[in-house]
Amino acid sequence: MNRHAIRAIYLFEMHRTWRTLMQSIAAPVISTSLYFIVFGSAIGSRMTEVEGVSYAAFIIPGLTMLSLLTESISNASFGIYMPKFTGTIFEVLSAPISYVEIVIGYVGAAASKSIILGTIILITARVFVPYEIAHPVWMVGFLVLTAVTFSLFGFIIGLWADSFQKLQLVPMLVITPLTFLGGSFYSIKMLPPLWRKVTLFNPVVYLINGFRWAFYGTSDVSVRVSVSMTCAFMVLCLLVVRWLLKSGYRLKA
């Protein structure tokens, strides 16, 4: 294992975050804070409890997951796309470093950024809403697992994309709608039976509910199913990344 190469890629990506602090950290935190103000304070003050939890506290896991998914994909996809765009990816490919080490460096940095962002959002949420975490170890586990999984997914998007427009295509048109429809602001038990069954085909439902269970001990779906779905998606992403790197898809051309 070439630890020096992994460290070089990881630190380079992390330094890029500090150089663009307003865009990487401040902007998502401010956006999420606005959600807390609008949905938590304004709407939450006029709604009853959901599953025994105040509405303002109920939406915290969903809003955190919304930012976590979006930023994980964005960080990882942009991190691998820029070397392709500038041509510096050939220096990485010609260096004595394996594909595994490349993935660890880029995905590790993207996941670290997302975990830092998620932590800041949870701290910021305490300014607006008092909440308790029933299962802190599980909460951290879900946070890390989700960040790594969707950083892998973002890495795939970065390898696939051949323009800046395509980098934003999946997060804006797929991930964000799925997150809003995945129970971020409501319990799927509040839906009619037909739509409840349709919603279960949304994979983000399992992420949000697993994360919410870690906070309040309540969930619309089984926690085991949530963990299994996330792990299965991570394994699928690993297999796709392995194939893309082995074949040199849009890297060696």
Side-chain angles (χ1 to χ4, degrees):
M1 185 70 71
N2 191 338
R3 296 182 180 179
H4 294 290
I6 296 174
R7 183 173 180 270
I9 294 174
Y10 180 86
L11 291 179
F12 178 82
E13 288 297 305
M14 293 303 293
H15 287 161
R16 182 164 58 82
T17 300
W18 310 134
R19 292 195 301 269
T20 58
L21 198 62
M22 287 297 294
Q23 177 183 351
S24 302
I25 302 295
V29 171
I30 293 173
S31 299
T32 307
S33 298
L34 292 175
Y35 279 118
F36 283 128
I37 294 172
V38 175
F39 288 93
S41 301
I43 299 178
S45 61
R46 292 169 172 79
M47 292 188 64
T48 58
E49 295 182 345
V50 180
E51 300 293 325
V53 181
S54 68
Y55 182 74
F58 182 82
I59 64 175
I60 289 175
L63 288 176
T64 305
M65 195 61 66
L66 172 62
S67 297
L68 194 70
L69 298 185
T70 304
E71 292 302 313
S72 295
I73 293 173
S74 177
N75 290 329
S77 60
F78 191 80
I80 190 61
Y81 178 78
M82 281 307 296
K84 288 172 49 183
F85 180 75
T86 60
T88 56
I89 189 64
F90 298 110
E91 299 177 4
V92 177
L93 294 175
S94 61
I97 178 174
S98 68
Y99 292 132
V100 174
E101 292 157 352
I102 292 175
V103 173
I104 293 175
Y106 282 109
V107 172
S112 296
K113 299 174 194 177
S114 301
I115 292 170
I116 292 172
L117 176 63
T119 303
I120 294 174
I121 289 174
L122 290 176
I123 294 173
T124 305
R126 290 300 295 262
V127 176
F128 302 97
V129 185
Y131 66 88
E132 300 294 334
I133 302 176
H135 308 284
V137 175
W138 277 98
M139 187 277 288
V140 173
F142 268 108
L143 192 71
V144 174
L145 180 62
T146 303
V148 172
T149 300
F150 279 83
S151 293
L152 283 167
F153 185 53
F155 192 82
I156 294 172
I157 294 173
L159 292 175
W160 162 77
D162 54 9
S163 66
F164 284 100
Q165 289 76 14
K166 287 187 177 180
L167 285 180
Q168 301 299 324
L169 186 66
V170 174
M172 291 182 63
L173 298 182
V174 179
I175 299 301
T176 301
L178 286 180
T179 306
F180 275 99
L181 297 173
S184 297
F185 302 104
Y186 57 88
S187 168
I188 65 173
K189 294 179 181 178
M190 300 167 66
L191 298 173
L194 176 61
W195 288 109
R196 192 183 310 163
K197 293 180 180 179
V198 172
T199 303
L200 292 177
F201 289 96
N202 181 353
V204 180
V205 167
Y206 303 95
L207 298 174
I208 293 175
N209 277 277
F211 199 51
R212 183 171 287 138
W213 174 86
F215 276 76
Y216 310 121
T218 180
S219 174
D220 295 330
V221 295
S222 169
V223 178
R224 291 184 179 180
V225 175
S226 297
V227 175
S228 300
M229 291 285 287
T230 308
C231 290
F233 186 60
M234 181 176 67
V235 171
L236 177 62
C237 288
L238 284 170
L239 294 175
V240 174
V241 167
R242 182 179 183 274
W243 177 81
L244 290 174
L245 292 177
K246 285 287 186 180
S247 63
Y249 180 78
R250 290 188 175 175
L251 285 176
K252 298 180 179 179

